[in-house]
Amino acid sequence: MKLLLPVAAILWITALESCKSSGSEAPKTFCDTVCLKDTLKFTGEHPLKPSLFITAKNCLPDSLIWTFKGLGANRKTSLSTLFGSTTVHMNKEVTRAYFRDTAVAYLLFNDCSTGRGFQIKLPFDKKQNFSLKSSGINNFDPKFSIADNLLVNTDRGNIYVEDMITGKTAMMTFGEKIDIDYDAIHEHIDSVNVTNGRIWVKILINKKWEEKEKKISLQ
């Protein structure tokens, strides 16, 4: 019996340390939440060089500045104005900007912590307001195949498509409202494929996976 007690103690300690080790493992993130230190810059191909800058502060994205040659005063907004108290982790590897000449800049990215897709539409005209979509279906996600010129998002009942080159749009309805958690989108939308002529989705409706498809004409 005297020999069994130390052995039991050793086994108990080993099991306890194993539990601590497995329990302390960090959850997997969509992308590297590395500290964002440097300003990210994107420039379009238009002769007036439309540009978008994302400044950083305390390792997080801080402000958006968008402009082009001859605009005069730059347009600028803080990300706290857009996101409120929500913290987003941006990585340049999953961040993209698209410019429709000197009319609009689009910013697409996924939050590295949750994988949630964001899309910000930034008109250069000071009379027009910028807009945020926090339900973006971006092709940074390997299960979302989206043509590079398309902006795709959802409102839990429909899927919307916008051609960033022309501004033309299309949509497809899911047929009913779905309670989608955008921070865990693949629990509700498994995969998406959108081209300039077709929308296809695999979505969970009433606890059953269904495929929905529609031919579209951007108008």
Side-chain angles (χ1 to χ4, degrees), residues 132-189:
L132 166 70
K133 295 288 186 183
S134 57
S135 57
I137 298 176
N138 299 332
N139 60 9
F140 302 118
D141 190 313
K143 300 202 77 175
F144 294 158
S145 176
I146 311 295
D148 285 340
N149 65 301
L150 299 179
L151 190 77
V152 179
N153 49 67
T154 179
D155 66 352
R156 296 186 171 93
N158 308 280
I159 187 166
Y160 298 95
V161 180
E162 179 181 349
D163 183 351
M164 293 184 286
I165 298 174
T166 65
K168 293 182 178 181
T169 62
M171 60 86 70
M172 182 184 76
T173 181
F174 297 146
E176 60 183 279
K177 202 74 172 179
I178 299 169
D179 187 19
I180 299 173
D181 178 0
Y182 297 122
D183 287 336
I185 195 166
H186 287 298
E187 294 180 5
H188 313 270
I189 301 178

Side-chain angles (χ1 to χ4, degrees), residues 9-26:
I10 291 171
L11 292 174
W12 181 80
I13 292 171
T14 302
L16 180 62
E17 291 300 319
S18 176
C19 288
K20 286 183 179 179
S21 176
S22 61
S24 63
E25 290 180 1

Side-chain angles (χ1 to χ4, degrees), residues 49-198:
K49 298 295 181 184
S51 300
L52 171 62
F53 303 86
I54 306 168
T55 65
K57 183 179 180 181
N58 298 325
C59 290
L60 296 172
D62 180 60
S63 297
L64 299 179
I65 302 168
W66 63 106
T67 188
F68 62 83
K69 290 182 180 179
L71 179 63
N74 297 340
R75 297 208 67 181
K76 181 177 180 179
T77 185
S78 67
L79 286 173
S80 62
T81 299
L82 291 171
F83 296 111
S85 59
T86 301
T87 299
V88 296
H89 293 270
M90 190 178 292
N91 186 311
K92 64 180 181 180
E93 300 301 324
V94 290
T95 303
R96 180 166 68 98
Y98 190 95
F99 299 90
R100 189 197 305 162
D101 299 326
T102 57
V104 181
Y106 297 86
L107 177 64
L108 290 71
F109 70 96
N110 283 55
D111 174 32
C112 283
S113 296
T114 64
R116 186 171 188 161
F118 291 92
Q119 301 167 346
I120 307 176
K121 191 173 181 178
L122 303 163
F124 288 98
D125 187 342
K126 297 179 178 64
K127 296 178 182 178
Q128 299 181 36
N129 293 326
F130 44 83
S131 62
L132 166 70
K133 295 288 186 183
S134 57
S135 57
I137 298 176
N138 299 332
N139 60 9
F140 302 118
D141 190 313
K143 300 202 77 175
F144 294 158
S145 176
I146 311 295
D148 285 340
N149 65 301
L150 299 179
L151 190 77
V152 179
N153 49 67
T154 179
D155 66 352
R156 296 186 171 93
N158 308 280
I159 187 166
Y160 298 95
V161 180
E162 179 181 349
D163 183 351
M164 293 184 286
I165 298 174
T166 65
K168 293 182 178 181
T169 62
M171 60 86 70
M172 182 184 76
T173 181
F174 297 146
E176 60 183 279
K177 202 74 172 179
I178 299 169
D179 187 19
I180 299 173
D181 178 0
Y182 297 122
D183 287 336
I185 195 166
H186 287 298
E187 294 180 5
H188 313 270
I189 301 178
D190 175 76
S191 47
V192 178
N193 188 303
V194 183
T195 68
N196 287 273
R198 171 180 173 266

